[in-house]
Amino acid sequence: MRHLVTLDDLSNFEIEGVFRLAAGMQSQLETWAGICRSKLLATLFYEPSTRTRLSFESAMERLSGGTLGFADPSGTSATKGETLADTARMVTNYADLIVVRHNWAGAAQVMARYASIPVINGGDGSHAHPTQALTDLYTIIRRKGQVEGLNVGVCGDLRYGRAAHSFSLAVARFGGKLIHIGPNGLQMPPWVMTRLDKLHAQKPLEVARIRDVIASLDVIYVNRLQEERLPPEVNPAAVRGSYLLNAAVMKHAKSDAMIMHPLPRVNELSYELDDDPRAAYFEQSANAVPIRMALISSLLGLEQLILTQPPQRSIAAAENPCDNPGCVTHHENYLFAERETFGDMFAVCRYCGCLIAG
Ligand code: NCD
């Protein structure tokens, strides 16, 4: 059984297989209808969502499967104190596959541990959003043919944006050249920068203003300020509106650049760009359906050629818990700290991915 908690759960070969299957499903929707008949997808959304939940439900129902779940945890036993582990064990009895979104980093990893069915991470705190990153890469490849060699600017709240984290790591894995554009205090966190450096030999240029780099970019990936996750020391009013991609900025961009955004947009991406042929964000949200169709059928084992050999990982018990207050290990007290090591280069918390000593 395979899970998709972070992109580390898939090899590049498998990701390319998912893209091929998604393209097939996108071009011949009817052929695939029926493949998930009698299968059920549980969508457990402890945090707000429009695109992720609806595109997963759309994907499952287009494959003739059924869906159940919740979009508001206030109506569930979470309010009575039920743990993620117990919820995972219960849902195992009610569905064949779980998609979970949660405000704690590592929550999907906990569910994957305790469920006996595949678990997909639909976004965990400010950690990761792997299915969004797959949708994003797929969108780039459909427009540009490949990611390798492209100059990819990732702009906005890079510190708390889980979509930005998974996207940067995915771009690096497929040979894109990253440039990080983040306001002061909201730059890419050390765990992402360390992985980029040690695993992909990239030390992305970091700038504060998009104007300084816009002319060199093939892809401009904008992210909103993650206001719901800002710590008390960051004043949202000071950063709100501090970056904006609009027509005036795009005048200096390449004529074949791509504008991307995981959405929702708030005030960082101007509506005046919606008719610009370089805008790819609505296409990006549409591509979420075939990508999620391909992932659902692969993880359910219905498309057996896609998921072959899981990447090798080195995971062991850790002496101390990580120091990330947003990590699930600080909220669910039955969990034991675990670390994943990358040779003798660095170690991370198995759950939230933050760097740990040793
Ligand atoms: C993203 C998320 O939830 O992380 N949304 C999405 O799934 N498309 C990005 C965001 O909320 O800013």
Side-chain angles (χ1 to χ4, degrees), residues 287-304:
N287 286 338
V289 176
I291 284 290
R292 287 167 174 149
M293 288 168 73
L295 286 171
I296 289 169
S297 37
S298 302
L299 285 163
L300 285 175
L302 303 169
E303 276 306 305
Q304 292 172 4

Side-chain angles (χ1 to χ4, degrees), residues 51-52 101 129 132 162-163 224 226 228-229 262-264:
R51 265 152 300 277
T52 303
R101 166 170 288 191
H129 197 350
Q132 179 67 49
R162 58 193 172 204
R224 78 182 165 93
Q226 308 283 304
E228 69 277 33
R229 281 194 271 280
L263 303 176

Side-chain angles (χ1 to χ4, degrees), residues 23-62:
M25 289 175 152
Q26 196 161 13
S27 62
Q28 283 182 312
L29 209 55
E30 290 304 310
T31 312
W32 301 90
I35 190 174
C36 286
R37 187 159 292 126
S38 84
K39 300 287 183 192
L40 291 173
L41 170 71
T43 55
L44 313 182
F45 279 66
Y46 294 84
E47 256 198 350
S49 168
T50 301
R51 265 152 300 277
T52 303
R53 187 171 63 85
L54 295 185
S55 63
F56 263 113
E57 291 182 358
S58 167
M60 189 56 169
E61 292 188 24
R62 286 193 189 285

Side-chain angles (χ1 to χ4, degrees), residues 10-130:
L10 299 175
S11 66
N12 282 18
F13 177 78
E14 291 174 323
I15 291 175
E16 282 161 4
V18 168
F19 291 168
R20 270 193 300 279
L21 178 59
M25 289 175 152
Q26 196 161 13
S27 62
Q28 283 182 312
L29 209 55
E30 290 304 310
T31 312
W32 301 90
I35 190 174
C36 286
R37 187 159 292 126
S38 84
K39 300 287 183 192
L40 291 173
L41 170 71
T43 55
L44 313 182
F45 279 66
Y46 294 84
E47 256 198 350
S49 168
T50 301
R51 265 152 300 277
T52 303
R53 187 171 63 85
L54 295 185
S55 63
F56 263 113
E57 291 182 358
S58 167
M60 189 56 169
E61 292 188 24
R62 286 193 189 285
L63 297 169
S64 312
T67 59
L68 70 165
F70 54 84
D72 178 359
S74 68
T76 74
S77 288
T79 56
K80 303 179 191 170
E82 185 164 62
T83 61
L84 287 167
D86 280 355
T87 305
R89 290 176 173 126
M90 290 311 110
V91 177
T92 291
N93 300 320
Y94 308 145
D96 302 288
L97 180 68
I98 291 173
V99 184
V100 58
R101 166 170 288 191
H102 202 285
N103 48 311
W104 297 334
Q109 185 60 56
V110 176
M111 288 232 155
R113 162 152 301 179
Y114 291 95
S116 314
I117 55 178
V119 172
I120 300 176
N121 183 3
D124 60 331
S126 56
H127 177 217
H129 197 350

Side-chain angles (χ1 to χ4, degrees), residues 109-331:
Q109 185 60 56
V110 176
M111 288 232 155
R113 162 152 301 179
Y114 291 95
S116 314
I117 55 178
V119 172
I120 300 176
N121 183 3
D124 60 331
S126 56
H127 177 217
H129 197 350
T131 66
Q132 179 67 49
L134 292 176
T135 302
D136 301 339
L137 280 199
Y138 177 76
T139 304
I140 296 176
I141 292 168
R142 279 177 83 83
R143 274 217 185 183
K144 296 276 188 191
Q146 59 179 44
V147 177
E148 193 171 351
L150 297 180
N151 285 332
V152 181
V154 192
C155 172
D157 180 352
L158 308 184
R159 183 159 173 201
Y160 298 104
R162 58 193 172 204
H165 302 158
S166 293
F167 178 71
S168 275
L169 293 167
V171 165
R173 262 174 73 167
F174 283 86
K177 197 167 166 299
L178 289 161
I179 295 145
H180 289 159
I181 308 138
N184 257 340
L186 296 178
Q187 288 99 343
M188 206 52 104
W191 69 270
V192 178
M193 295 303 271
T194 301
R195 292 179 67 113
L196 291 174
D197 178 18
K198 306 278 189 208
L199 304 182
H200 308 293
Q202 280 216 39
K203 287 191 198 306
L205 179 65
E206 294 190 277
V207 299
R209 285 165 18 118
I210 193 156
R211 277 179 186 274
D212 298 338
V213 290
I214 188 85
S216 67
L217 301 179
D218 299 300
V219 175
I220 306 148
Y221 188 96
V222 188
N223 296 272
R224 78 182 165 93
L225 181 66
Q226 308 283 304
E227 290 214 22
E228 69 277 33
R229 281 194 271 280
L230 294 183
E233 67 272 16
V234 179
N235 172 10
V239 261
R240 204 178 284 140
S242 68
Y243 56 95
L244 169 68
L245 192 70
N246 60 15
V249 178
M250 282 306 293
K251 263 199 192 116
H252 305 282
K254 291 186 181 180
S255 58
D256 63 347
M258 283 176 75
I259 308 168
M260 300 180 72
H261 194 305
L263 303 176
R265 63 176 149 181
V266 188
N267 48 19
E268 64 291 328
L269 176 61
S270 172
Y271 280 69
E272 66 196 18
L273 293 172
D274 294 357
D275 297 325
D276 186 318
R278 295 172 292 185
Y281 33 92
F282 294 124
E283 189 177 310
Q284 195 181 341
S285 64
N287 286 338
V289 176
I291 284 290
R292 287 167 174 149
M293 288 168 73
L295 286 171
I296 289 169
S297 37
S298 302
L299 285 163
L300 285 175
L302 303 169
E303 276 306 305
Q304 292 172 4
L305 295 177
I306 307 291
L307 300 185
T308 50
Q309 197 67 18
Q312 291 285 314
R313 316 276 290 268
S314 172
I315 294 159
E319 271 172 32
N320 299 310
C322 72
D323 58 11
N324 173 6
C327 177
V328 67
T329 53
H330 297 288
H331 297 274

